[in-house]
Coordinates of all heavy atoms in Angstrom, one line a residue:
D1 N -21.6 -72.4 97.4 CA -21.1 -71.1 97.0 C -22.2 -70.1 96.9 O -23.3 -70.4 96.4 CB -20.4 -71.2 95.7 CG -19.1 -72.0 95.8 OD1 -18.5 -72.1 96.9 OD2 -18.6 -72.4 94.7
T2 N -21.9 -68.9 97.3 CA -22.8 -67.8 97.2 C -22.6 -67.2 95.7 O -21.6 -67.5 95.1 CB -22.5 -66.7 98.2 OG1 -21.3 -66.1 97.9 CG2 -22.5 -67.3 99.6
P3 N -23.6 -66.5 95.3 CA -23.5 -65.8 94.0 C -22.2 -64.9 93.9 O -21.6 -64.8 92.9 CB -24.7 -65.0 93.9 CG -25.8 -65.7 94.7 CD -24.9 -66.2 95.9
E4 N -21.9 -64.2 95.0 CA -20.7 -63.4 95.0 C -19.4 -64.2 94.9 O -18.5 -63.8 94.1 CB -20.6 -62.6 96.3 CG -21.7 -61.6 96.5 CD -23.0 -62.2 97.1 OE1 -23.0 -63.3 97.5 OE2 -24.0 -61.4 97.0
Q5 N -19.4 -65.4 95.5 CA -18.2 -66.3 95.4 C -18.1 -66.8 93.9 O -17.0 -66.9 93.4 CB -18.3 -67.4 96.3 CG -18.1 -66.9 97.8 CD -18.3 -68.1 98.8 OE1 -19.2 -68.9 98.6 NE2 -17.5 -68.1 99.8
E6 N -19.2 -67.2 93.4 CA -19.2 -67.6 92.0 C -18.8 -66.5 91.0 O -18.0 -66.8 90.1 CB -20.6 -68.1 91.6 CG -20.9 -69.4 92.3 CD -22.3 -69.9 91.9 OE1 -22.8 -69.6 90.8 OE2 -22.9 -70.7 92.7
L7 N -19.2 -65.3 91.3 CA -18.8 -64.2 90.3 C -17.3 -63.9 90.5 O -16.6 -63.8 89.5 CB -19.6 -62.9 90.7 CG -19.1 -61.7 90.0 CD1 -19.3 -61.8 88.5 CD2 -19.9 -60.5 90.4
D8 N -16.8 -63.9 91.8 CA -15.4 -63.7 92.0 C -14.6 -64.8 91.4 O -13.5 -64.5 90.8 CB -15.1 -63.8 93.5 CG -15.5 -62.5 94.2 OD1 -15.8 -61.5 93.5 OD2 -15.6 -62.4 95.5
A9 N -15.0 -66.0 91.5 CA -14.3 -67.1 90.8 C -14.3 -67.0 89.3 O -13.2 -67.2 88.7 CB -14.9 -68.5 91.2
R10 N -15.4 -66.6 88.7 CA -15.4 -66.4 87.3 C -14.5 -65.2 86.8 O -13.8 -65.3 85.8 CB -16.8 -66.1 86.8 CG -17.0 -66.0 85.3 CD -18.4 -65.9 84.8 NE -19.4 -66.7 85.4 CZ -20.4 -66.3 86.2 NH1 -20.6 -65.0 86.2 NH2 -21.3 -67.1 86.7
L11 N -14.5 -64.1 87.6 CA -13.6 -63.0 87.3 C -12.2 -63.4 87.4 O -11.3 -63.0 86.6 CB -14.0 -61.8 88.2 CG -15.3 -61.2 87.9 CD1 -15.6 -60.2 89.0 CD2 -15.5 -60.6 86.6
L12 N -11.8 -64.2 88.5 CA -10.4 -64.6 88.6 C -10.1 -65.5 87.5 O -8.9 -65.3 86.9 CB -10.3 -65.4 89.9 CG -8.9 -66.0 90.2 CD1 -7.8 -64.9 90.2 CD2 -9.0 -66.7 91.6
D13 N -10.9 -66.4 87.1 CA -10.7 -67.3 85.9 C -10.4 -66.4 84.7 O -9.5 -66.8 83.9 CB -11.8 -68.2 85.7 CG -11.6 -69.2 84.5 OD1 -10.6 -69.9 84.5 OD2 -12.5 -69.2 83.6
E14 N -11.2 -65.5 84.4 CA -11.0 -64.6 83.2 C -9.7 -63.8 83.3 O -9.0 -63.7 82.3 CB -12.2 -63.7 83.1 CG -13.5 -64.4 82.7 CD -14.7 -63.4 82.8 OE1 -14.6 -62.3 83.1 OE2 -15.8 -64.0 82.5
A15 N -9.3 -63.4 84.5 CA -8.1 -62.6 84.6 C -6.8 -63.6 84.4 O -5.9 -63.1 83.7 CB -8.0 -62.0 86.0
V16 N -6.9 -64.7 84.9 CA -5.8 -65.7 84.7 C -5.7 -66.1 83.2 O -4.7 -66.2 82.6 CB -5.9 -67.0 85.6 CG1 -5.0 -68.0 85.2 CG2 -5.8 -66.6 87.0
E17 N -6.9 -66.2 82.6 CA -6.9 -66.6 81.1 C -6.3 -65.5 80.3 O -5.5 -65.8 79.4 CB -8.3 -66.9 80.7 CG -8.4 -67.4 79.3 CD -9.9 -67.7 78.9 OE1 -10.6 -68.1 79.7 OE2 -10.1 -67.6 77.6
R18 N -6.7 -64.2 80.6 CA -6.0 -63.1 79.9 C -4.5 -63.1 80.1 O -3.8 -62.8 79.1 CB -6.7 -61.7 80.3 CG -8.0 -61.4 79.8 CD -8.4 -60.0 80.1 NE -8.5 -59.7 81.5 CZ -9.5 -59.9 82.3 NH1 -10.5 -60.5 81.8 NH2 -9.5 -59.6 83.6
F19 N -4.1 -63.4 81.3 CA -2.6 -63.4 81.6 C -2.0 -64.5 80.7 O -0.9 -64.2 80.1 CB -2.4 -63.6 83.0 CG -0.9 -63.8 83.3 CD1 -0.1 -62.7 83.4 CD2 -0.4 -65.1 83.6 CE1 1.3 -62.9 83.6 CE2 0.9 -65.3 83.9 CZ 1.8 -64.2 83.9
V20 N -2.5 -65.7 80.8 CA -1.9 -66.8 80.1 C -1.8 -66.5 78.6 O -0.8 -66.8 78.0 CB -2.6 -68.1 80.4 CG1 -2.1 -69.2 79.5 CG2 -2.4 -68.5 81.9
R21 N -2.9 -65.9 78.0 CA -2.9 -65.6 76.6 C -1.8 -64.6 76.3 O -1.4 -64.5 75.1 CB -4.2 -65.2 76.2 CG -5.3 -66.3 76.1 CD -6.6 -65.8 75.6 NE -7.5 -66.9 75.7 CZ -8.6 -66.9 74.9 NH1 -8.9 -66.0 74.1 NH2 -9.4 -68.0 75.0
S22 N -1.4 -63.8 77.2 CA -0.4 -62.7 76.9 C 1.0 -63.2 76.9 O 1.9 -62.5 76.5 CB -0.6 -61.6 77.9 OG -0.1 -62.0 79.1
L23 N 1.2 -64.4 77.4 CA 2.6 -65.0 77.5 C 3.1 -65.4 76.2 O 2.4 -65.7 75.2 CB 2.5 -66.3 78.4 CG 2.1 -66.0 79.9 CD1 2.0 -67.3 80.6 CD2 3.1 -65.1 80.6
S24 N 4.4 -65.5 76.1 CA 5.1 -66.0 74.9 C 4.8 -67.5 74.8 O 4.3 -68.1 75.8 CB 6.6 -65.8 75.0 OG 7.1 -66.6 76.0
A25 N 5.0 -68.1 73.7 CA 4.7 -69.5 73.5 C 5.4 -70.4 74.5 O 4.8 -71.3 75.1 CB 5.0 -69.9 72.1
D26 N 6.7 -70.1 74.7 CA 7.5 -71.0 75.6 C 7.0 -70.8 77.1 O 6.8 -71.8 77.8 CB 9.0 -70.6 75.6 CG 9.7 -71.2 74.4 OD1 9.1 -72.2 73.7 OD2 10.7 -70.7 74.0
A27 N 6.7 -69.6 77.5 CA 6.2 -69.3 78.8 C 4.9 -69.9 79.0 O 4.6 -70.5 80.1 CB 6.2 -67.8 79.1
R28 N 4.0 -69.9 78.1 CA 2.7 -70.4 78.1 C 2.7 -71.9 78.2 O 2.1 -72.5 79.0 CB 1.8 -70.0 76.9 CG 0.4 -70.4 77.0 CD -0.5 -69.8 75.9 NE 0.1 -69.9 74.5 CZ 0.5 -68.8 73.9 NH1 0.5 -67.6 74.4 NH2 1.1 -69.0 72.7
N29 N 3.5 -72.5 77.3 CA 3.6 -74.0 77.4 C 4.2 -74.5 78.7 O 3.7 -75.5 79.3 CB 4.5 -74.5 76.2 CG 3.8 -74.4 74.9 OD1 2.6 -74.3 74.8 ND2 4.6 -74.3 73.9
A30 N 5.2 -73.8 79.2 CA 5.8 -74.2 80.5 C 4.8 -74.0 81.6 O 4.6 -74.9 82.5 CB 7.1 -73.4 80.7
F31 N 4.1 -72.8 81.7 CA 3.2 -72.6 82.7 C 2.0 -73.5 82.8 O 1.7 -74.1 83.8 CB 2.7 -71.1 82.6 CG 1.9 -70.6 83.7 CD1 2.5 -70.1 84.9 CD2 0.5 -70.6 83.6 CE1 1.8 -69.6 85.9 CE2 -0.3 -70.1 84.7 CZ 0.4 -69.6 85.8
V32 N 1.4 -73.7 81.6 CA 0.3 -74.6 81.5 C 0.7 -76.1 81.8 O 0.0 -76.8 82.5 CB -0.5 -74.5 80.2 CG1 -1.4 -75.6 80.0 CG2 -1.1 -73.1 80.0
G33 N 1.8 -76.5 81.2 CA 2.3 -77.8 81.5 C 2.6 -78.1 82.9 O 2.2 -79.1 83.5
R34 N 3.2 -77.1 83.6 CA 3.6 -77.3 85.0 C 2.4 -77.2 86.0 O 2.2 -78.1 86.8 CB 4.6 -76.3 85.4 CG 5.1 -76.4 86.8 CD 5.9 -77.7 87.1 NE 6.4 -77.7 88.4 CZ 6.6 -78.8 89.1 NH1 6.4 -80.0 88.6 NH2 7.1 -78.7 90.3
Y35 N 1.6 -76.2 85.7 CA 0.5 -75.9 86.7 C -0.9 -76.4 86.3 O -1.8 -76.4 87.2 CB 0.4 -74.4 87.1 CG 1.8 -74.0 87.6 CD1 2.6 -73.0 86.9 CD2 2.2 -74.5 88.8 CE1 3.8 -72.7 87.5 CE2 3.5 -74.1 89.3 CZ 4.3 -73.2 88.6 OH 5.5 -72.8 89.1
Y36 N -1.1 -76.8 85.1 CA -2.4 -77.4 84.7 C -2.3 -78.9 84.6 O -3.1 -79.6 85.0 CB -2.9 -76.7 83.4 CG -4.3 -77.2 83.0 CD1 -5.4 -76.6 83.7 CD2 -4.5 -78.2 82.0 CE1 -6.7 -77.1 83.3 CE2 -5.7 -78.6 81.7 CZ -6.8 -78.0 82.3 OH -8.1 -78.4 82.0
F37 N -1.2 -79.3 83.8 CA -1.1 -80.8 83.6 C -0.1 -81.4 84.7 O 0.0 -82.6 84.7 CB -0.5 -81.0 82.3 CG -1.5 -80.7 81.1 CD1 -1.2 -79.6 80.3 CD2 -2.6 -81.4 80.9 CE1 -2.1 -79.2 79.3 CE2 -3.5 -81.1 80.0 CZ -3.3 -80.0 79.1
F38 N 0.5 -80.6 85.6 CA 1.3 -81.1 86.6 C 2.5 -81.8 86.2 O 2.9 -82.8 86.7 CB 0.5 -81.9 87.7 CG -0.6 -81.2 88.3 CD1 -2.0 -81.5 87.9 CD2 -0.4 -80.2 89.2 CE1 -3.0 -80.7 88.5 CE2 -1.4 -79.5 89.8 CZ -2.7 -79.8 89.4
D39 N 3.1 -81.4 85.0 CA 4.2 -82.0 84.4 C 5.4 -81.7 85.3 O 5.5 -80.6 86.0 CB 4.6 -81.5 83.0 CG 3.5 -82.0 82.0 OD1 2.8 -82.9 82.3 OD2 3.4 -81.3 81.0
S40 N 6.4 -82.6 85.4 CA 7.6 -82.3 86.2 C 8.4 -81.2 85.5 O 8.3 -81.0 84.3 CB 8.5 -83.6 86.4 OG 8.9 -84.0 85.1
I41 N 9.4 -80.7 86.2 CA 10.3 -79.7 85.7 C 11.1 -80.3 84.5 O 11.3 -79.7 83.5 CB 11.2 -79.1 86.7 CG1 10.5 -78.3 87.8 CG2 12.4 -78.3 86.1 CD1 9.9 -77.1 87.4
S42 N 11.5 -81.6 84.7 CA 12.3 -82.2 83.6 C 11.5 -82.4 82.4 O 11.9 -82.3 81.2 CB 12.9 -83.5 84.1 OG 11.9 -84.4 84.5
E43 N 10.2 -82.8 82.5 CA 9.3 -82.9 81.4 C 9.1 -81.6 80.6 O 9.2 -81.5 79.5 CB 7.9 -83.5 81.8 CG 7.9 -84.9 82.2 CD 6.6 -85.3 82.7 OE1 6.1 -84.7 83.7 OE2 6.0 -86.2 82.1
V44 N 8.9 -80.5 81.4 CA 8.7 -79.2 80.8 C 10.0 -78.8 80.1 O 9.8 -78.3 79.0 CB 8.3 -78.2 81.9 CG1 8.2 -76.8 81.3 CG2 6.9 -78.5 82.5
A45 N 11.1 -79.0 80.7 CA 12.3 -78.7 80.1 C 12.5 -79.4 78.7 O 13.0 -78.8 77.7 CB 13.5 -79.0 81.0
R46 N 12.2 -80.7 78.8 CA 12.3 -81.5 77.5 C 11.5 -80.9 76.4 O 11.9 -80.7 75.3 CB 11.9 -82.9 77.8 CG 12.1 -83.9 76.6 CD 11.7 -85.3 76.9 NE 10.4 -85.4 77.7 CZ 9.2 -85.3 77.1 NH1 9.1 -85.0 75.8 NH2 8.1 -85.4 77.7
Y47 N 10.1 -80.7 76.6 CA 9.3 -80.3 75.5 C 9.4 -78.8 75.2 O 9.0 -78.4 74.1 CB 7.9 -80.8 75.6 CG 7.1 -80.3 76.8 CD1 6.6 -79.0 76.9 CD2 6.7 -81.2 77.7 CE1 5.8 -78.6 78.0 CE2 5.9 -80.9 78.8 CZ 5.4 -79.6 78.9 OH 4.7 -79.2 80.0
C48 N 10.0 -78.0 76.1 CA 10.3 -76.6 75.7 C 11.6 -76.4 75.2 O 12.0 -75.3 74.8 CB 10.1 -75.7 77.0 SG 8.3 -75.5 77.5
G49 N 12.5 -77.4 75.2 CA 13.8 -77.3 74.7 C 14.7 -76.4 75.6 O 15.5 -75.6 75.1
M50 N 14.5 -76.5 76.9 CA 15.3 -75.6 77.8 C 15.9 -76.5 78.9 O 15.6 -77.7 79.0 CB 14.3 -74.7 78.5 CG 13.5 -73.8 77.6 SD 12.2 -72.9 78.5 CE 13.2 -71.7 79.5
T51 N 16.8 -75.9 79.7 CA 17.3 -76.6 80.8 C 16.4 -76.5 81.9 O 15.5 -75.7 81.9 CB 18.7 -75.9 81.2 OG1 18.4 -74.6 81.7 CG2 19.8 -75.9 80.0
E52 N 16.6 -77.4 82.9 CA 15.7 -77.4 84.0 C 15.8 -76.1 84.8 O 14.9 -75.5 85.3 CB 16.0 -78.6 85.0 CG 15.5 -79.9 84.4 CD 15.8 -81.1 85.3 OE1 15.8 -80.9 86.5 OE2 15.9 -82.2 84.8
S53 N 17.1 -75.6 84.9 CA 17.3 -74.3 85.5 C 16.6 -73.2 84.8 O 16.0 -72.3 85.5 CB 18.8 -74.1 85.6 OG 19.0 -72.8 86.2
G54 N 16.6 -73.2 83.5 CA 15.9 -72.2 82.7 C 14.4 -72.2 83.0 O 13.7 -71.2 83.0
V55 N 13.9 -73.5 83.0 CA 12.4 -73.6 83.3 C 12.1 -73.0 84.7 O 11.1 -72.3 84.8 CB 12.0 -75.1 83.1 CG1 10.6 -75.3 83.7 CG2 12.1 -75.6 81.6
K56 N 12.9 -73.3 85.6 CA 12.6 -72.9 87.0 C 12.6 -71.4 87.0 O 11.7 -70.8 87.7 CB 13.6 -73.4 88.0 CG 13.5 -74.9 88.3 CD 14.6 -75.4 89.2 CE 14.6 -76.9 89.3 NZ 15.7 -77.4 90.2
S57 N 13.6 -70.8 86.3 CA 13.7 -69.3 86.3 C 12.5 -68.7 85.6 O 11.9 -67.8 86.1 CB 15.0 -68.9 85.6 OG 16.1 -69.2 86.4
L58 N 12.1 -69.4 84.4 CA 11.0 -68.9 83.6 C 9.7 -68.9 84.4 O 8.9 -68.0 84.5 CB 10.8 -69.7 82.3 CG 9.6 -69.4 81.5 CD1 9.7 -68.0 80.9 CD2 9.5 -70.4 80.4
L59 N 9.5 -70.1 85.1 CA 8.3 -70.2 85.9 C 8.2 -69.2 87.1 O 7.2 -68.7 87.4 CB 8.1 -71.7 86.4 CG 7.8 -72.7 85.4 CD1 7.9 -74.1 86.0 CD2 6.5 -72.5 84.7
Y60 N 9.4 -69.0 87.7 CA 9.5 -68.0 88.9 C 9.0 -66.6 88.3 O 8.2 -66.0 89.0 CB 10.8 -67.9 89.5 CG 10.9 -66.9 90.5 CD1 10.5 -67.1 91.8 CD2 11.6 -65.7 90.2 CE1 10.6 -66.1 92.8 CE2 11.7 -64.7 91.2 CZ 11.2 -64.9 92.4 OH 11.3 -63.9 93.4
R61 N 9.6 -66.2 87.3 CA 9.3 -64.9 86.7 C 7.8 -64.8 86.3 O 7.2 -63.8 86.5 CB 10.2 -64.6 85.5 CG 11.6 -64.2 85.9 CD 12.5 -63.7 84.7 NE 12.3 -64.5 83.5 CZ 13.1 -65.6 83.2 NH1 14.1 -65.9 84.0 NH2 13.0 -66.2 82.1
T62 N 7.3 -65.9 85.7 CA 5.9 -66.0 85.3 C 5.0 -65.8 86.5 O 4.0 -65.1 86.4 CB 5.6 -67.2 84.5 OG1 6.6 -67.3 83.4 CG2 4.2 -67.2 83.9
R63 N 5.3 -66.6 87.5 CA 4.5 -66.4 88.7 C 4.5 -65.0 89.3 O 3.4 -64.5 89.7 CB 5.0 -67.4 89.8 CG 4.6 -68.8 89.5 CD 4.9 -69.8 90.7 NE 6.1 -69.6 91.4 CZ 7.3 -70.2 91.1 NH1 7.3 -71.1 90.1 NH2 8.4 -70.0 91.8
Q64 N 5.6 -64.4 89.3 CA 5.7 -63.0 89.8 C 4.9 -62.1 88.9 O 4.2 -61.2 89.4 CB 7.2 -62.5 89.9 CG 8.0 -63.3 90.8 CD 7.5 -63.2 92.2 OE1 7.1 -62.3 92.7 NE2 7.3 -64.4 92.8
N65 N 5.0 -62.3 87.6 CA 4.2 -61.5 86.7 C 2.7 -61.7 86.9 O 1.9 -60.8 86.7 CB 4.6 -61.7 85.2 CG 5.9 -61.2 84.9 OD1 6.4 -60.3 85.5 ND2 6.6 -61.8 83.9
L66 N 2.3 -63.0 87.1 CA 0.9 -63.3 87.4 C 0.4 -62.5 88.7 O -0.7 -62.0 88.7 CB 0.7 -64.8 87.5 CG -0.7 -65.2 87.9 CD1 -1.8 -64.7 86.9 CD2 -0.8 -66.7 88.1
K67 N 1.2 -62.6 89.7 CA 0.9 -61.9 90.9 C 0.7 -60.4 90.7 O -0.3 -59.8 91.1 CB 2.1 -62.1 91.9 CG 1.8 -61.4 93.3 CD 3.0 -61.7 94.2 CE 2.8 -61.0 95.5 NZ 4.0 -61.1 96.4
D68 N 1.6 -59.8 89.9 CA 1.4 -58.4 89.6 C 0.2 -58.1 88.7 O -0.6 -57.1 89.0 CB 2.7 -57.8 88.8 CG 3.9 -57.9 89.6 OD1 3.8 -57.9 90.9 OD2 5.0 -57.8 89.0
H69 N -0.1 -59.0 87.8 CA -1.3 -58.9 87.0 C -2.6 -59.0 87.8 O -3.4 -58.2 87.6 CB -1.3 -60.0 85.9 CG -2.5 -60.0 85.0 ND1 -2.7 -59.1 84.0 CD2 -3.5 -60.9 85.0 CE1 -3.9 -59.4 83.5 NE2 -4.4 -60.5 84.1
L70 N -2.6 -60.0 88.7 CA -3.8 -60.1 89.5 C -4.0 -58.9 90.4 O -5.1 -58.5 90.7 CB -3.7 -61.4 90.3 CG -3.9 -62.7 89.4 CD1 -3.7 -63.9 90.3 CD2 -5.1 -62.7 88.6
A71 N -2.9 -58.3 90.9 CA -3.0 -57.2 91.8 C -3.6 -56.0 91.0 O -4.5 -55.3 91.5 CB -1.6 -56.8 92.4
K72 N -3.1 -55.8 89.8 CA -3.7 -54.7 88.9 C -5.1 -55.0 88.6 O -5.9 -54.0 88.4 CB -2.8 -54.7 87.6 CG -1.4 -54.1 87.8 CD -0.7 -54.1 86.5 CE 0.7 -53.7 86.8 NZ 1.6 -53.8 85.6
E73 N -5.5 -56.2 88.5 CA -6.9 -56.6 88.2 C -7.8 -56.4 89.5 O -9.0 -56.6 89.4 CB -7.0 -58.0 87.7 CG -6.4 -58.2 86.3 CD -7.3 -57.8 85.2 OE1 -8.5 -57.9 85.3 OE2 -6.8 -57.5 84.2
G74 N -7.2 -56.1 90.6 CA -8.0 -55.9 91.8 C -8.1 -57.1 92.7 O -8.9 -57.1 93.7
F75 N -7.3 -58.1 92.5 CA -7.4 -59.3 93.4 C -6.3 -59.2 94.5 O -5.2 -58.8 94.2 CB -7.2 -60.6 92.6 CG -8.3 -60.9 91.6 CD1 -8.3 -60.5 90.3 CD2 -9.4 -61.6 92.1 CE1 -9.3 -60.8 89.5 CE2 -10.5 -61.8 91.2 CZ -10.4 -61.4 89.9
A76 N -6.7 -59.5 95.7 CA -5.7 -59.5 96.8 C -4.7 -60.7 96.6 O -5.2 -61.8 96.4 CB -6.4 -59.6 98.1
V77 N -3.5 -60.4 96.6 CA -2.5 -61.5 96.5 C -1.5 -61.5 97.6 O -1.3 -60.6 98.2 CB -1.8 -61.5 95.1 CG1 -2.7 -61.9 94.0 CG2 -1.2 -60.1 94.8

């Protein structure tokens, strides 16, 4: 990696961290569970107390919001 790539990666990491911290507890738990721990939709639904359909909708909206957030932070998405 070049120094520029390392800086870009660090800035992206910080932008994603700010986004995740801004989420509600349910959205944060679902997002981190699904995309960090690779939990299944049914597992996420169980520990978030939601239906699988509700989790899918929540994750879709969260991904869209992350995309918007990263665009505002200057990352090409």
Side-chain angles (χ1 to χ4, degrees):
D1 288 340
T2 67
E4 292 84 10
Q5 289 172 321
E6 289 181 23
L7 176 61
D8 286 343
R10 188 175 315 119
L11 293 173
L12 177 60
D13 180 57
E14 291 170 0
V16 171
E17 185 176 331
R18 279 191 301 276
F19 173 76
V20 170
R21 287 181 182 203
S22 74
L23 296 173
S24 68
D26 282 341
R28 183 173 46 253
N29 289 336
F31 188 83
V32 170
R34 181 69 174 148
Y35 300 117
Y36 185 78
F37 294 110
F38 302 107
D39 293 341
S40 68
I41 295 293
S42 60
E43 288 175 301
V44 174
R46 182 181 46 76
Y47 60 71
C48 286
M50 302 173 69
T51 64
E52 289 184 25
S53 177
V55 169
K56 289 177 187 178
S57 295
L58 175 65
L59 290 173
Y60 174 79
R61 288 190 311 271
T62 304
R63 288 192 312 270
Q64 295 304 311
N65 289 337
L66 175 58
K67 181 180 175 182
D68 293 342
H69 175 77
L70 292 177
K72 289 177 186 172
E73 293 276 333
F75 292 94
V77 288

